[in-house]
Amino acid sequence: MRDLIKGLVMQKKNAIFYFIMGAILLLGVVYRVLSYCQVNVFEDDECRIILAIMDKQWWELFFSLNYEGQSGPPLFLLIEKFFGEIFNYTEKALKFFPFVCSLLSMFVFYKFTKKVFTNKLPIVLSNFLFVINTALLMYSVSAKQYSSDVLMCLLCIYYLADINLKELSKKKIIILSLVLALLPLISLPTIFFIASFVIIKLAYNLKDKEYLKLILLTIIPLIIMLFLYYLFNLHPSKLQMLKYFPTYWDECFVGFGIKNNILYILLNLFHMFFYPNGSSVYSLILFIGGLGYLIEDKSIYSKFILSVFGFTLLASITHMYPIVLRVSLFALPLVIICIIKPFDYIKFNNWKFYVILPLLILAFCGYNLSYNSIYKNITATQAKDLMTELVEKYNPKTDRVFVNDASSSSFIFYARKNNFVPNEYTLVKGSVKNLKETLDSYLLESRKERFWFYIVKDFVGAPNREEILAWANTKNIIYKKKIRRNFLILIEK
């Protein structure tokens, strides 16, 4: 009878757990579907990568794009070009693959947390933080590789951690070696996970010569591919990036300066990871505490997570890979696991539970389950709507168009989509000194009577945006349209 009662209680607890998890995953699906349905525009950074692949041949995507410092994993770019060519590079088409990846990543993350955690509470907490995370939501509808990075890296750690090469047939080892060689071509951060797989398997089987031989044979295709990938893609792309963004990544590599030490970088990273949270300080404290529990844990999953963190840090110190929100998004699921890890050890009757729980609440108290509140943080810039207005009102005989450099890619892309070719188009660079005097000279020297200013503020901002707006307000503005943080202004002489 006692065993029967225990069994019934356990069944009830399991039913409640699966009901809660079902509700959490459903919430994540709803958020992502709403985001995909409502975000119908590319922001400037998306336009850059799309313009970089539109006119390229398929085979050219395996090499440096050679376009404004843009780069991306070749297989990801091939997938995007595939959808673009079929559906005429529409927003829904190019955002579809990242959207699907974001949906799949929720379920893979759930499956992985069931391996990592032994108790149900941390599984619930970690999955809840995952599905409502604003950064993951934002990039689920971005035509960039960051959402697919999350999925591919989760698949890596989910499957690789449990692989025993000795149990695989020759055919499966060949397939595994080919998969490992191809993974970085669709998601570059998977290199950290593959390296962790190799190091951990080596550490566990140092005295087994046969196993060491299997590992070596498994990674030979990967080594060859990485050499070619670096030679023809990564290195030329890095040179291009340094040309267009010479100082942009300086504070994203770990060093010993005021703004690039590990603590400062992590605080900024956690602020972006968990925006709009209460404070990145609390999440950092929880992360450091979680690292202690991961180190103490003897499971291969904890060792795998720590190894990935280690390789990511090493890559940043050696200036091989920056630590900043979008390119580090792949690590966010592991950071969430690390933050929640203490709850796998601490019970309700332990005083530590009542210390860590308030920290967790403080760290994430800014979250709002209202979709509208979260949606405000993922709505992209409205470049398309501004272009529609400009095309309708533009007079080629009397008008000249000015575009600030942070808006140039979205302007070029949406002008192309609208078959709009202005007679006179001027790019106003952010590096221009004496900007107001320069703009005044443009007006004086031009034979045109009216001047359009197309000003889009993308996610990285625009260095000359505010100065242009302030200058425009001193002139004869005959038309002005504002959509969120973006402006279309018409000035008459």
Side-chain angles (χ1 to χ4, degrees), residues 49-56 61 65 77 80-81 89:
I49 197 72
I50 295 165
L51 288 169
I53 68 174
M54 283 180 76
D55 299 321
K56 291 280 193 300
L61 300 182
L65 295 177
L77 297 179
E80 289 295 281
K81 187 172 178 65
Y89 291 90

Side-chain angles (χ1 to χ4, degrees), residues 449-469:
E449 300 172 5
R450 307 195 312 172
F451 306 90
W452 289 96
F453 285 84
Y454 173 94
I455 307 170
V456 172
K457 185 175 182 180
D458 67 3
F459 289 121
V460 297
N464 56 18
R465 173 179 177 274
E466 299 302 326
E467 197 171 355
I468 293 175
L469 291 174

Side-chain angles (χ1 to χ4, degrees), residues 342-357:
F343 289 95
D344 208 25
Y345 292 88
I346 301 169
K347 308 300 179 184
F348 288 101
N349 57 357
N350 191 309
W351 65 269
K352 292 181 182 178
F353 181 88
Y354 297 99
V355 173
I356 295 177
L357 187 61

Side-chain angles (χ1 to χ4, degrees), residues 35 73 177 240 253 463 474:
S35 301
S177 65
Q240 274 285 313
F253 295 110
T474 65

Side-chain angles (χ1 to χ4, degrees), residues 271-290:
H271 173 72
M272 292 184 286
F273 268 177
F274 301 114
Y275 181 84
N277 65 346
S279 170
S280 57
V281 173
Y282 297 116
S283 54
L284 181 59
I285 292 171
L286 288 167
F287 175 74
I288 294 171

